[in-house]
Amino acid sequence: MTFLSKGTLALSLSLLAASAAIGTVSAVDFDVLTSEEAVNPYDVWDDGGTKTLLVSFEDKAGHDSVVDHAKKKKKQGMKINEKSITFTKAQKIAKADKEGKAGKTGRRLRWLQEDDAIATGFSVIELESDDLQAEIDALSELQGVTAVEEDGIMHIESMEYQQKLRGGGGPADHIREIQDAIRAATYQFPDDEIEFSPNVEGEEAAGARHGRSLLQETPYGINMVNASHVWSKTPVMTEPIKICVVDTGYDLGHLDLPNEQEHNVTGWHKVNSDGSTPFGKWDVDGHGHGTHCAGTIGAIGTNTIGVTSVNPDPSKFQFIIGKGLSDSGSGSNANVMEAVTECVNAGAKVVSMSLGGTGSSTITDAFYKDQYDKGVLIIAAAGNSASDSWGYPAGYESVMSVGSVMESASLSYFSTRNVQVEITGPGHSVKSTHKNGGYTTMSGTSMACPHVAGVAALLWTHFPECTNNQIRNAMIRSADEPPTSDSRNTPGWDKYYGWGLVNAGNAYELLSKGCDVAGGLADPPEGKELHDLALGGKFQKNVGCTLDEHCDQSNPCLGEFVCNAGTGTCEQVAGTAPVCDDGKKCTIDTCDPSKPYTVLTDLCVFTPKPCEDGNKCNGIQDCDEETGNCYLKEPAVNCDDSNLCTTDTCNPSTGICSNTDVTCNDNNACTLNDTCDPFQGCIFGEPLDNCCGNAECEADETEATCPLDCGTTLTTSFENAYSVELGPIFDIQTKSKNVTIGGFDLNCYVPEGIASKVFVYSLPGGNYYEDGKWYKKNLWDKVLESPITCQGFGTPTQVALPEAVTVPKESKHSFFIFIYTDASATGYWFYKSHYPPSGKTARYSPLVEDSYLQIQTGSGSYCISGFCAMISPRMPAITINYAAIDDAPTTSPTMSSMPSTPLPTFTPTLRPTPAPTATPTSTPSFAPSESLAPTPFEPVKVTVTSPPTSSATIVYAYYFDVKGGTYDSVLTNIKITTYASSQEIKVFAKKGTGKESEGIPCDWQLVAKTGNEVTGYWKTIYPKWINGFKPVELFAGETISLYVTSNQRLLTKYAGSSSLKYTTHFTSPDTSALPDIQVSYAAYGNVGLFKSYPSYYSSRSLMGALDFETVAPGSTMSPTAAPTATFSPNQLGSTELLTEDTHQGIQFDIHATSAIILRKLNLHLEAGTHLVEVWYRLGSHKGSTSGCANYNNYCNKWTNAASGDIISAGQDTATSTPAMAITVSPGQTIGLAVVFPKSGLVVGTTVTESGGDKTDGVLTIVTAGSQIKDYYGNEVNTIHSLDTTPITFKGVIEYDIANSFCAAISAENGVLSGDDYEPDVTSNDISNPNAPGEDGGGGPINGGGGGLMDFDSLS
């Protein structure tokens, strides 16, 4: 958001020219303010200093009292300014209007004298005050003042602007807005069709405009509104009709728009008393939104360039531009009203307003009624709330409210839907003119509004004798019905589409029958004004009628209507509406107009009166048939068991009581005898001097740990351990004494006859997962490598260390234990653990502790190579044998020197252990114990099916997550719903969520694919996989992600909001063999592998089913083969001396000898939040190509790879850019640009033009980089010459070694820009199809970065 000065924000209405339409009153001088404050477009107009009030008055005396009040305050030292607008006719103002409007007042402070108070005009007062309420109170007491309100804020109604607001405020949003416009323009104009850059200015732009012509394009919306039907007709109006666009300005000089010299384009902008123009000038559009809207109305269609419009002949209309909003896209309600006033004074008949704000204003409502009475038709955007919320001015009755549809004529997902929506127009991905002579595609009701305004102006040129109300009614009475496949559409009016889609051709033919036939009354009935015929939205059609056919007959529940010619109103015919009354007092009687019927009473619906509140603990309620009142049929549940040692609760859903034992704990560390008496409650004993006789009770003791003071072992729970891996990784924390670790008791299992070894590694300092210590083997000390014979799950297997590990007091230490078998048995997972209990789910959370030692939540080793931690934390099932000593010993004690109970010898004697041979025999020479004898296991097949749905959305691809439930399982197949007769389907998978991996091929493994198979339309099938479906392991509680893609179309479930992504869509039932498997909503993709849509699009999910198999408890998961390639992260850092410099970024080159994928840059920055962008181009950033300098983007050779806000802790700490995926081919050089809107990047300055390059053998950083001193969005670097002072990149580059498959996809990968097409498809053919969390990101395999999965690549 652009920051505006207080001088900009202060409203300073210029004196209005005296005319028959509007009067003026002299003004009091006002000192313009100058400090800065950001604009909040969803709040009242307030810059932090100057407040603006609207004050209505009933006559001249009332206005004089307001002026005198302002002068008095001025003399008292207050900064205050007053200017006024008078109405042509006195208007009534009221608190509330018709249905749905009451209470829609937003957050304004306001005072109203009374309903139906009279206003003959209003003053705009700007003032500085610390107590605004006191000023409102003072004004409300003035004689003749009828209302006082805070002024509101207005903003444009484009989705691009809404997305910018959701991303935050400040300069960062302005830069993102520029980028969005560039990407949209690039998408619409391929390289070989671009005439000149939309952002080129000055002499270069002038020169470029003389280049070759673009082929003129007709945007889809022009044909959709059937404008061409009217173009061939001869207008009756002799003078061009005047059309006003109140918006962010107008790009005067755009080759595809009317100009001043030839077409008399004129306009208005605010001018302060000091001559400044706080919102800019009307003929300069710093935003582009106003130019886009004007292009839809009147882009020149008689030339051969750009786009055409609803009114392609500029000789038949004249633009009057009102600069109501600033270049930021926002402004004040008062400033917008002044722009409208100036337009009307200049003769405008149609006013297009693609803007809005929250909260209604009674004074503003009266203002627009006054414009309507002058014969002006004002058309406004309904809003982009995607809900039934209200926006203004579209919410006022005298303003025509316009919703938005897509190219398919279905409703745009963002379009506001409420009782005031009157008509719809094309507003989704609309192409039109843009600032700086360019073109772009935008979405929003902002884009729909000028289509309707353009049609109104086009019709009026042929029927100038019609009134504004007749033109308005003709458009709604001739509107096209929206698609019948949309269940939201009902005959006649509905809140989604209003009366339908505007159709210029239909309206022309209707008006040809006469203005009164098409639009009803020309003049209001006696005693009424023209605005009384403007009820808007749902109610517009039933007022001002002249014929019965003008009346809405679409709702049979309301009966039939005929026109009363005397009053101009539609009246119900007696006896034509159904009477829905079954005579029962315990039913709610309603009428459903959508029901089929033979007689009218068939429409009636009788619903039992709801008496239950859903809480069975409150008793059972029922309805009394005689009185219709609810009464208590069964009493409330009493769960009191008269036992003070239980907590008594009732389950609201079942009405069943539960009595839970009370835990008595007085929090006295050394009180061990707390008890509870059923009649007295808790009883607390006297504290003991110590806890167990030979150990002190320390300050941090608890009653749970104190009894363990006498022990020399610490054990975590072995119960309910169900996850299996190769061994535990965990931290311990010592307390006030040094501790020596002598060994461990493990919970492990290896089948009989399989030789195995145990490895124990030690890491002083703890925090094993921090900074990737868990896969850096060189940081760990190996303290044991020894054969092991596991005793089986549930029976501890002791592991003694040859030399105890000493851990100093008050310090942390990490242990890494894993078990290997011989090469023939690498599929076994030997060690059992489980998820931590509630409250201990994060790494390093305390699990168990005593006076000397604490075991913390850890992880598990999951790969044969070791040093591979699980993503999700695990609770190790382990016992630690230790000794606590006051001082560190001079020699490390052994197990035999440990105090207390002697520990067993290293080799357990629970069963004989034969010496393993080089090749284990298939039949062991001894019989396994009964407890370890294998039990036959038959896997259970479980299908998890998506819920039935009657609607779907067509996509090319989609992502979704699957979170494991209570047990481990294996995904064996997937059922998919198709939307193509034949296609090729691929399924990719990864461990962890797909949230951060959309569009990044190397994060995924291919698990299944088909050939170009016959699949059929609207079918839910198991595809014919080539080589089958590679099983995917799903551990209990862990998450995997799937990516399903097709070269044609698939069907998905539509979630309706981007906020639902990666939240649960459906869950396997508790009665299943695999309960609580959760399948999420997620993102969807465009055609082509890993081509992703922007993140703000709505979420989708699987329509189909997932097939799973159970796995044997405590044994193995299904084995998977090693991947065909690994992606090992390498880091290359420069080491030059650094200084800070006040530039906006750096450009430098890199060179690769092998195929790599750049993942992120780690930078050194000043502390704080920074918006960073990373751009790249093929070839060096120096020199030139085809006449274009490589360091800028005039030839569109740079691509944005990453953009977002990052937070730096300071220069000494590296801060990562957002993730990216830039593929660099072998032998290729690319240029990189790291851009910041503000300074703060640390760079090296002690380099020379040649030499000093840094390389690790794969990647080379060319250290002689260049400064970026200016930044203009897509230009990447200054428009001037390249800075020749060499600097070097300081930081670390992270990259992957890419195999040929993911490198090839990555080179083609990109994010689709400018295409908002989201088709919602509903059909009876898709009816109940019989088909169908956790943190993400995989740890490396064998030290690499490929994730947790060992999939075969099928590519």
Side-chain angles (χ1 to χ4, degrees):
M1 184 184 301
T2 302
F3 285 81
L4 307 176
S5 70
K6 285 187 178 178
T8 302
L9 295 175
L11 181 64
S12 181
L13 292 174
S14 62
L15 292 176
L16 304 177
S19 70
I22 193 162
T24 65
V25 177
S26 59
V28 178
D29 290 336
F30 178 68
D31 295 328
V32 177
L33 308 176
T34 56
S35 61
E36 292 190 350
E37 182 67 33
V39 176
N40 180 353
Y42 292 118
D43 212 336
V44 296
W45 183 252
D46 178 5
D47 73 343
T50 300
K51 317 292 184 182
T52 304
L53 297 176
L54 307 179
V55 184
S56 65
F57 43 80
E58 62 181 351
D59 51 24
K60 184 179 185 301
H63 176 250
D64 289 343
S65 66
V66 176
V67 173
D68 291 342
H69 175 81
K71 289 179 179 179
K72 180 180 177 181
K73 290 289 185 179
K74 177 76 171 182
K75 289 179 180 180
Q76 294 173 353
M78 175 182 285
K79 292 183 177 180
I80 187 168
N81 183 34
E82 185 276 341
K83 290 198 175 180
S84 65
I85 295 176
T86 58
F87 297 149
T88 305
K89 300 176 181 179
Q91 301 289 344
K92 291 182 180 180
I93 55 177
K95 290 180 181 178
D97 296 313
K98 62 175 183 288
E99 174 188 335
K101 305 274 299 257
K104 302 291 184 179
T105 58
R107 288 171 281 181
R108 290 181 177 82
L109 295 173
R110 60 177 64 211
W111 171 84
L112 179 65
Q113 183 189 65
E114 60 183 355
D115 275 349
D116 294 330
I118 298 298
T120 60
F122 65 95
S123 293
V124 178
I125 295 183
E126 296 169 318
L127 72 163
E128 281 192 338
S129 174
D130 296 329
D131 189 350
L132 191 61
Q133 185 61 59
E135 296 303 322
I136 293 176
D137 293 342
L139 287 164
S140 68
E141 294 174 359
L142 297 179
Q143 184 67 30
V145 169
T146 54
V148 185
E149 299 176 331
E150 280 189 278
D151 191 22
I153 196 167
M154 294 284 110
H155 59 86
I156 59 178
E157 292 288 359
S158 73
M159 287 304 295
E160 290 74 14
Y161 182 79
Q162 307 283 342
Q163 295 295 340
K164 185 181 79 169
L165 292 178
R166 284 194 283 270
D173 283 321
H174 182 61
I175 290 172
R176 290 191 183 101
E177 179 187 38
I178 294 172
Q179 293 169 354
D180 291 342
I182 293 159
R183 295 184 184 115
T186 302
Y187 179 77
Q188 293 299 325
F189 290 112
D191 290 343
D192 60 352
E193 293 182 10
I194 295 177
E195 181 183 19
F196 58 91
S197 168
N199 289 315
V200 174
E201 300 177 5
E203 295 181 1
E204 293 187 51
R209 291 186 177 111
H210 294 290
R212 66 183 177 85
S213 296
L214 295 167
L215 294 176
Q216 189 176 68
E217 180 178 346
T218 300
Y220 79 88
I222 309 305
N223 292 328
M224 181 176 282
V225 302
N226 197 15
S228 60
H229 181 90
V230 187
W231 292 346
S232 61
K233 313 296 182 183
T234 302
V236 176
M237 186 177 286
T238 56
E239 294 294 329
I241 188 170
K242 294 181 179 180
I243 308 171
C244 174
V245 181
V246 177
D247 214 288
T248 59
Y250 184 80
D251 187 21
L252 191 65
H254 195 300
L255 295 182
D256 210 9
L257 288 173
N259 56 50
E260 278 181 302
Q261 293 78 20
E262 298 175 88
H263 311 113
N264 299 318
V265 176
T266 185
W268 170 90
H269 55 257
K270 176 193 288 290
V271 180
N272 281 339
S273 58
D274 60 359
S276 62
T277 55
F279 288 89
K281 297 183 178 181
W282 70 264
D283 55 0
V284 176
D285 184 1
H287 188 284
H289 184 270
T291 301
H292 192 281
C293 294
T296 296
I297 294 172
I300 300 172
T302 55
N303 55 16
T304 57
I305 66 170
V307 295
T308 188
S309 64
V310 178
N311 295 272
D313 186 350
S315 68
K316 297 177 182 178
F317 70 93
Q318 178 188 344
F319 269 141
I320 305 173
I321 305 301
K323 182 88 168 182
L325 304 177
S326 72
D327 290 341
S328 72
S330 62
S332 75
N333 177 43
N335 194 60
V336 168
M337 286 193 289
E338 185 179 9
V340 172
T341 301
E342 291 291 341
C343 281
V344 173
N345 287 346
K349 295 288 287 180
V350 177
V351 179
S352 178
M353 302 173 67
S354 294
L355 49 80
T358 57
S360 65
S361 159
T362 56
I363 295 174
T364 306
D365 190 10
F367 168 80
Y368 287 114
K369 288 178 180 176
D370 192 60
Q371 307 310 309
Y372 206 82
D373 289 343
K374 296 174 187 175
V376 179
L377 181 56
I378 297 179
I379 300 168
N384 302 327
S385 68
S387 71
D388 59 0
S389 62
W390 287 69
Y392 299 89
Y396 300 127
E397 297 167 350
S398 50
V399 177
M400 197 172 190
S401 177
V402 182
S404 171
V405 297
M406 300 187 294
E407 188 171 0
S408 64
S410 295
L411 190 74
S412 299
Y413 70 92
F414 51 76
S415 188
T416 293
R417 56 292 306 263
N418 59 40
V419 73
Q420 201 64 22
V421 173
E422 193 161 329
I423 202 165
T424 49
H428 209 106
S429 295
V430 174
K431 186 174 180 181
S432 185
T433 51
H434 203 240
K435 63 180 180 179
N436 298 329
Y439 301 84
T440 195
T441 298
M442 300 177 76
S443 294
T445 53
S446 271
M447 287 58 252
C449 173
H451 281 94
V452 176
V455 169
L458 182 64
L459 294 171
W460 230 334
T461 61
H462 293 80
F463 304 98
E465 71 278 12
C466 294
T467 66
N468 54 350
N469 199 65
Q470 289 174 324
I471 294 292
R472 177 182 189 172
N473 287 343
M475 286 194 290
I476 67 172
R477 288 170 180 160
S478 61
D480 286 334
E481 276 291 322
T484 55
S485 58
D486 188 344
S487 60
R488 296 171 296 187
N489 172 40
T490 58
W493 179 92
D494 58 69
K495 68 178 182 179
Y496 301 97
Y497 295 93
W499 293 100
L501 175 62
V502 65
N503 186 311
N506 289 354
Y508 178 90
E509 297 302 328
L510 183 59
L511 284 163
S512 298
K513 300 176 182 179
C515 295
D516 57 341
V517 173
L521 293 176
D523 299 313
E526 185 177 355
K528 300 289 186 179
E529 300 295 340
L530 192 56
H531 73 258
D532 291 317
L533 299 180
L535 297 183
K538 174 181 179 180
F539 306 94
Q540 180 62 26
K541 201 170 185 180
N542 281 343
V543 65
C545 65
T546 58
L547 302 170
D548 290 347
E549 63 191 61
H550 290 164
C551 300
D552 181 23
Q553 311 286 359
S554 61
N555 189 339
C557 287
L558 301 179
E560 298 177 10
F561 288 83
V562 294
C563 181
N564 184 327
T567 63
T569 57
C570 294
E571 298 177 350
Q572 188 188 69
V573 179
T576 60
V579 177
C580 296
D581 184 359
D582 60 358
K584 298 179 181 178
K585 293 184 178 181
C586 284
T587 60
I588 299 173
D589 307 334
T590 58
C591 181
D592 182 357
S594 64
K595 290 181 63 178
Y597 68 98
T598 303
V599 295
L600 289 173
T601 52
D602 292 342
L603 298 170
C604 295
V605 178
F606 305 107
T607 307
K609 184 176 181 179
C611 286
E612 279 293 329
D613 61 359
N615 187 341
K616 293 187 177 180
C617 296
N618 293 336
I620 306 300
Q621 299 191 58
D622 203 351
C623 182
D624 187 326
E625 293 289 350
E626 294 184 3
T627 65
N629 297 326
C630 295
Y631 70 96
L632 194 62
K633 185 176 181 180
E634 295 182 14
V637 178
N638 181 7
C639 293
D640 186 3
D641 62 357
S642 300
N643 186 342
L644 297 179
C645 291
T646 60
T647 301
D648 308 327
T649 58
C650 177
N651 187 325
S653 61
T654 63
I656 298 175
C657 294
S658 61
N659 308 102
T660 307
D661 290 339
V662 172
T663 300
C664 293
N665 188 338
D666 62 358
N667 294 316
N668 188 322
C670 292
T671 305
L672 304 180
N673 53 356
D674 300 340
T675 60
C676 187
D677 182 278
F679 302 102
Q680 300 181 50
C682 289
I683 301 174
F684 303 108
E686 294 296 322
L688 303 177
D689 293 336
N690 55 61
C691 290
C692 54
N694 62 352
E696 295 180 357
C697 182
E698 300 175 8
D700 60 349
E701 286 289 85
T702 68
E703 294 184 350
T705 62
C706 200
L708 299 176
D709 274 342
C710 299
T712 55
T713 63
L714 184 59
T715 302
T716 62
S717 172
F718 283 84
E719 298 177 0
N720 303 318
Y722 52 81
S723 296
V724 287
E725 56 257 1
L726 295 174
I729 316 171
F730 59 93
D731 280 0
I732 64 170
Q733 171 77 55
T734 58
K735 297 185 178 180
S736 60
K737 297 184 183 297
N738 304 305
V739 171
T740 55
I741 309 298
F744 309 92
D745 292 346
L746 303 180
N747 191 19
C748 65
Y749 164 75
V750 177
E752 295 286 350
I754 302 298
S756 56
K757 279 187 176 183
V758 60
F759 292 80
V760 179
Y761 284 81
S762 166
L763 175 65
N767 289 355
Y768 68 91
Y769 205 79
E770 192 174 76
D771 299 327
K773 296 175 186 176
W774 46 275
Y775 67 80
K776 297 176 181 178
K777 187 175 182 179
N778 61 304
L779 299 180
W780 296 72
D781 299 322
K782 184 167 71 173
V783 296
L784 176 67
E785 176 183 350
S786 175
I788 187 173
T789 302
C790 288
Q791 303 302 311
F793 294 140
T795 303
T797 300
Q798 189 179 87
V799 174
L801 301 181
E803 291 188 3
V805 175
T806 300
V807 183
K809 62 183 178 182
E810 298 178 350
S811 65
K812 296 188 72 169
H813 204 92
S814 300
F815 287 96
F816 202 151
I817 307 172
F818 48 89
I819 300 172
Y820 281 172
T821 66
D822 63 291
S824 65
T826 55
Y828 292 111
W829 291 53
F830 313 106
Y831 178 76
K832 198 156 190 179
S833 68
H834 53 104
Y835 284 98
S838 175
K840 302 178 183 293
T841 56
R843 287 190 178 85
Y844 320 132
S845 296
L847 287 174
V848 295
E849 60 184 323
D850 59 18
S851 294
Y852 310 115
L853 193 63
Q854 180 187 92
I855 302 177
Q856 299 179 343
T857 300
S859 187
S861 173
Y862 69 88
C863 64
I864 300 303
S865 66
F867 296 91
C868 303
M870 308 296 290
I871 290 297
S872 299
R874 292 284 200 273
M875 176 176 170
I878 196 168
T879 295
I880 298 180
N881 303 302
Y882 73 92
I885 53 180
D886 289 332
D887 300 301
T890 55
T891 58
S892 299
T894 61
M895 286 285 285
S896 60
S897 68
M898 296 289 171
S900 73
T901 306
L903 300 174
T905 58
F906 173 67
T907 305
T909 57
L910 298 179
R911 63 180 182 183
T913 307
T917 61
T919 303
T921 59
S922 58
T923 303
S925 58
F926 55 88
S929 65
E930 183 177 353
S931 62
L932 296 180
T935 302
F937 174 77
E938 290 293 332
V940 177
K941 299 181 184 297
V942 176
T943 298
V944 181
T945 304
S946 64
T949 180
S950 61
S951 63
T953 304
I954 305 169
V955 299
Y956 290 101
Y958 54 95
Y959 303 85
F960 62 96
D961 284 357
V962 183
K963 183 177 179 180
T966 307
Y967 308 107
D968 297 339
S969 61
V970 178
L971 174 64
T972 60
N973 207 347
I974 181 172
K975 184 182 282 189
I976 295 169
T977 304
T978 66
Y979 186 68
S981 59
S982 62
Q983 56 191 311
E984 182 181 356
I985 300 172
K986 291 184 174 69
V987 178
F988 295 80
K990 68 178 290 293
K991 284 288 188 183
T993 179
K995 188 173 185 179
E996 304 300 331
S997 297
E998 298 167 15
I1000 304 179
C1002 296
D1003 285 0
W1004 301 79
Q1005 295 286 347
L1006 182 67
V1007 297
K1009 67 176 182 180
T1010 70
N1012 194 28
E1013 299 288 344
V1014 175
T1015 55
Y1017 285 99
W1018 313 89
K1019 301 296 183 183
T1020 303
I1021 62 169
Y1022 286 106
K1024 298 177 181 178
W1025 307 116
I1026 299 174
N1027 299 325
F1029 188 96
K1030 181 63 65 176
V1032 182
E1033 298 139 336
L1034 179 62
F1035 293 106
E1038 287 196 344
T1039 298
I1040 64 172
S1041 184
L1042 297 174
Y1043 169 60
V1044 183
T1045 181
S1046 169
N1047 63 345
Q1048 294 297 326
R1049 295 294 184 95
L1050 304 169
L1051 290 176
T1052 59
K1053 169 66 177 175
Y1054 177 70
S1057 172
S1058 61
S1059 64
L1060 295 177
K1061 289 180 182 176
Y1062 300 101
T1063 60
T1064 301
H1065 172 213
F1066 59 93
T1067 304
S1068 61
D1070 293 340
T1071 55
S1072 166
L1074 292 172
D1076 202 31
I1077 291 177
Q1078 300 176 31
V1079 181
S1080 76
Y1081 289 108
Y1084 69 105
N1086 193 27
V1087 62
L1089 285 177
F1090 297 99
K1091 299 272 188 170
S1092 297
Y1093 278 93
S1095 61
Y1096 54 76
Y1097 283 167
S1098 301
S1099 54
R1100 308 291 194 271
S1101 188
L1102 170 72
M1103 281 183 59
L1106 300 169
D1107 287 354
F1108 294 91
E1109 287 187 3
T1110 60
V1111 295
S1115 59
T1116 68
M1117 295 290 286
S1118 63
T1120 56
T1124 57
T1126 60
F1127 312 118
S1128 303
N1130 295 273
Q1131 296 187 341
L1132 178 63
S1134 61
T1135 58
E1136 299 295 334
L1137 295 176
L1138 308 175
T1139 62
E1140 284 186 58
D1141 202 351
T1142 55
H1143 47 65
Q1144 289 188 307
I1146 181 174
Q1147 288 182 315
F1148 62 98
D1149 295 344
I1150 63 171
H1151 180 81
T1153 58
S1154 301
I1156 64 172
I1157 297 178
L1158 266 61
R1159 288 301 191 185
K1160 63 178 65 171
L1161 308 180
N1162 298 301
L1163 313 171
H1164 293 271
L1165 308 168
E1166 291 180 339
T1169 300
H1170 303 262
L1171 171 66
V1172 62
E1173 300 175 17
V1174 180
W1175 295 73
Y1176 72 95
R1177 60 161 289 130
L1178 301 182
S1180 173
H1181 77 282
K1182 298 181 178 180
S1184 62
T1185 304
S1186 302
C1188 285
N1190 291 347
Y1191 59 79
N1192 60 39
N1193 200 25
Y1194 288 169
C1195 288
N1196 296 311
K1197 298 302 182 183
W1198 287 85
T1199 300
N1200 188 298
S1203 177
D1205 289 332
I1206 60 177
I1207 301 175
S1208 169
Q1211 297 181 17
D1212 296 333
T1213 303
T1215 304
S1216 297
T1217 64
M1220 53 190 174
I1222 304 175
T1223 302
V1224 187
S1225 302
Q1228 189 176 59
T1229 294
I1230 69 169
L1232 290 175
V1234 185
V1235 180
F1236 294 81
K1238 61 180 181 179
S1239 62
L1241 176 66
V1242 177
V1243 297
T1245 59
T1246 58
V1247 298
T1248 59
E1249 182 65 30
S1250 61
D1253 296 350
K1254 302 298 179 182
T1255 184
D1256 63 355
V1258 176
L1259 179 64
T1260 298
I1261 299 177
V1262 181
T1263 57
S1266 308
Q1267 295 187 48
I1268 297 176
K1269 289 188 174 180
D1270 299 302
Y1271 178 66
Y1272 302 114
N1274 72 325
E1275 292 182 4
V1276 178
N1277 202 347
T1278 174
I1279 61 173
H1280 307 294
S1281 60
L1282 185 67
D1283 188 279
T1284 58
T1285 303
I1287 59 174
T1288 185
F1289 169 75
K1290 171 60 180 178
V1292 175
I1293 300 179
E1294 295 187 23
Y1295 66 92
D1296 293 340
I1297 303 296
N1299 64 9
S1300 58
F1301 173 68
C1302 84
I1305 299 175
S1306 297
E1308 301 172 359
N1309 190 34
V1311 176
L1312 183 67
S1313 298
D1315 184 357
D1316 286 327
Y1317 181 64
E1318 294 187 285
D1320 296 340
V1321 179
T1322 304
S1323 172
N1324 294 331
D1325 293 333
I1326 314 180
S1327 179
N1328 300 329
N1330 183 22
E1334 289 244 345
D1335 53 340
I1341 295 177
N1342 294 330
L1348 292 174
M1349 289 181 148
D1350 288 338
F1351 293 131
D1352 278 334
S1353 174
L1354 303 183
S1355 59

